[in-house]
């Protein structure tokens, strides 16, 4: 039976944080997301057309989910960025005390293109992705 809907994109991702304030500062100050709103202990940050929400790790999030292993429940999230200049990105991150991997060509929603990986203060992987080759 076909689904009665089609997926049109990612609306938001919710990250658990031992130190929600530090994680919020990282996404705002280091990666340049915008502050959207706060709802109780939930912070919502604007990432283009999507949101990244941050909730305290020791509280149930909006969906009341938990990690079965007690460890991280996210491998990485990928943020599409423009312009993509790996040298400028690495220099900016280093100035913020954040290490990143070398640029590599990887497949994403738009196709194969350049990207780099880094970790946020909670240990979540973050991929910064440029445009697909030829775009």
């Amino acid at each position: 039976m076909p689904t009665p809907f089609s997926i049109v994109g990612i609306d938001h991702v919710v990250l658990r944080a031992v130190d929600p304030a530090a994680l919020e500062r990282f996404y705002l100050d280091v990666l340049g997301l915008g502050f959207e709103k706060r709802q109780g202990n939930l912070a919502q940050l604007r990432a283009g057309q999507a949101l990244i929400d941050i909730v305290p790790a020791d509280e149930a999030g909006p969906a009341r989910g938990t990690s079965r292993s007690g460890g991280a429940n996210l491998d990485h999230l990928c943020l599409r960025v423009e312009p993509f200049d790996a040298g400028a990105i690495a220099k900016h991150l280093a100035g913020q005390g954040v290490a990143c991997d070398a640029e590599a060509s990887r497949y994403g929603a738009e196709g194969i293109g350049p990207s780099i990986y880094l970790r946020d203060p909670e240990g979540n992987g973050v991929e910064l992705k440029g445009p697909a080759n030829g775009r």
Side-chain angles (χ1 to χ4, degrees):
M1 172 194 254
T3 60
F5 56 84
S6 59
I7 303 298
V8 296
I10 293 176
D11 184 86
H12 66 277
V13 173
V14 181
L15 301 176
R16 297 183 181 285
V18 172
D19 187 345
L23 194 61
E24 185 177 325
R25 284 191 308 274
F26 173 82
Y27 281 96
L28 292 172
D29 299 342
V30 177
L31 297 186
L33 273 65
F35 181 80
E36 184 81 7
K37 67 188 284 188
R38 192 172 309 282
Q39 297 186 65
N41 288 334
L42 176 104
Q44 296 185 295
L45 311 179
R46 175 66 54 188
Q49 294 184 1
L51 295 173
I52 295 177
D53 297 351
I54 299 171
V55 297
D58 59 353
E59 297 178 17
R64 298 179 304 282
T66 60
S67 170
R68 290 183 183 197
S69 69
N73 54 9
L74 174 77
D75 179 72
H76 76 279
L77 63 95
C78 180
L79 301 172
R80 174 67 168 78
V81 300
E82 286 184 356
F84 186 89
D85 178 334
I89 292 169
K91 182 177 177 181
H92 166 72
L93 293 172
Q96 299 287 326
V98 177
C100 66
D101 293 347
E103 175 185 350
S105 184
R106 297 182 176 94
Y107 189 78
E110 296 178 354
I112 295 174
S115 77
I116 59 169
Y117 282 111
L118 56 125
R119 296 235 170 257
D120 72 20
E122 293 285 330
N124 297 306
V126 178
E127 180 181 1
L128 301 180
K129 183 104 173 53
N133 298 333
R135 283 197 175 204

